[in-house]
Amino acid sequence: DADVTQTPRNRITKTGKRIMLECSQTKGHDRMYWYRQDPGLGLRLIYYSFDVKDINKGEISDGYSVSRQAQAKFSLSLESAIPNQTALYFCATRRNTGELFFGEGSRLTVL
Amino acid sequence: AQSVAQPEDQVNVAEGNPLTVKCTYSVSGNPYLFWYVQYPNRGLQFLLKYITGDNLVKGSYGFEAEFNKSQTSFHLKKPSALVSDSALYFCAVRAYNTDKLIFGTGTRLQVFP
């Protein structure tokens, strides 16, 4: 089983719909992250969390919200999806020594 | 503000030849530097990191990187490329006093037989 699991892996939705991307981890790490990947832009940080009571905005948090339901779970929501949120989304956890461990990604298409 | 530049969108190299993927960074204070690799339809995988100490860092799959403070660079290298090294490579930097890891735009490495 994967250490960092993202669901769904692929999702097609329409403009204005609410979407939730879920992430769960079995690595026992406190720090969790959401990034989006766009061709030519690399990965950009959306939100990150130190623990269930500590949520922080990243570079591009507008239009997104997150929830840290437990140490192992960190979900990303798009309240009203728009086409320019079409991207590949990655969840990651961070070991105390600094390395990130990524999920397999969630490909979101907003029509 | 932290930033990372990967000046080459793509690097082409013949199998068996040495490879270099370039990375320069900008950060206040001491940097924590990382390289990650992404294979098609997969998440990123950690390759190596520089935190402190020896400027030459060795990592997974025979890769190494050299930290150069005066040139603010952290180039990824491998003495002999393999076709299976073909992938997308990302450099990333974090300032010692933050938790934000900032990624570069990525360099696609193509190793030809």
Side-chain angles (χ1 to χ4, degrees):
Chain A
D1 290 339
D3 294 322
V4 183
T5 303
Q6 293 183 231
T7 55
R9 293 292 313 279
N10 288 283
R11 180 72 182 270
I12 300 174
T13 190
K14 295 182 178 180
T15 297
K17 294 291 187 180
R18 183 179 188 275
I19 294 297
M20 179 180 286
L21 305 179
E22 298 186 346
C23 177
S24 63
Q25 55 121 340
T26 58
K27 300 195 76 66
H29 296 160
D30 289 327
R31 289 168 165 77
M32 297 187 73
Y33 301 77
W34 275 104
Y35 285 90
R36 70 176 272 176
Q37 182 179 18
D38 299 277
L41 296 179
L43 275 77
R44 291 180 292 168
L45 181 62
I46 306 172
Y47 272 96
Y48 59 106
S49 170
F50 293 155
D51 61 38
V52 294
K53 297 180 181 179
D54 192 343
I55 305 290
N56 302 276
K57 292 183 177 180
E59 304 169 84
I60 54 162
S61 58
D62 288 348
Y64 302 95
S65 62
V66 291
S67 174
R68 185 80 184 268
Q69 302 95 323
Q71 187 209 36
K73 296 184 181 295
F74 191 38
S75 59
L76 176 71
S77 294
L78 288 68
E79 296 300 326
S80 179
I82 56 177
N84 75 0
Q85 291 178 311
T86 293
L88 184 56
Y89 291 85
F90 286 104
C91 175
T93 70
R94 200 191 104 182
R95 179 184 278 175
N96 287 340
T97 47
E99 304 94 285
L100 293 184
F101 295 85
F102 286 82
E104 297 286 277
S106 295
R107 186 170 297 280
L108 176 65
T109 302
V110 183
L111 302 176
Chain B
Q2 305 164 215
S3 65
V4 177
Q6 292 183 244
E8 303 153 316
D9 290 335
Q10 181 156 326
V11 170
N12 300 316
V13 64
E15 189 174 34
N17 283 359
L19 70 87
T20 298
V21 181
K22 295 179 180 178
C23 171
T24 59
Y25 67 90
S26 175
V27 70
S28 298
N30 294 325
Y32 294 168
L33 294 156
F34 302 81
W35 277 101
Y36 288 83
V37 60
Q38 185 181 29
Y39 297 102
N41 301 314
R42 303 296 300 276
L44 280 70
Q45 298 176 32
F46 169 76
L47 272 182
L48 52 78
K49 67 179 179 184
Y50 172 83
I51 302 297
T52 187
D54 195 347
N55 289 342
L56 185 63
V57 178
K58 295 187 183 296
S60 306
Y61 312 121
F63 283 93
E64 57 189 29
E66 186 167 11
F67 171 62
N68 188 315
K69 187 173 184 178
S70 63
Q71 297 185 3
T72 61
S73 67
F74 189 56
H75 301 330
L76 182 69
K77 301 181 180 184
K78 188 174 183 182
S80 179
L82 300 173
V83 172
S84 58
D85 293 330
S86 299
L88 189 57
Y89 290 81
F90 289 96
C91 182
V93 67
R94 177 167 68 90
Y96 74 99
N97 60 348
T98 77
D99 208 62
K100 294 182 182 181
L101 187 63
I102 303 300
F103 285 82
T105 53
T107 298
R108 186 165 301 282
L109 174 66
Q110 290 276 14
V111 181
F112 296 96

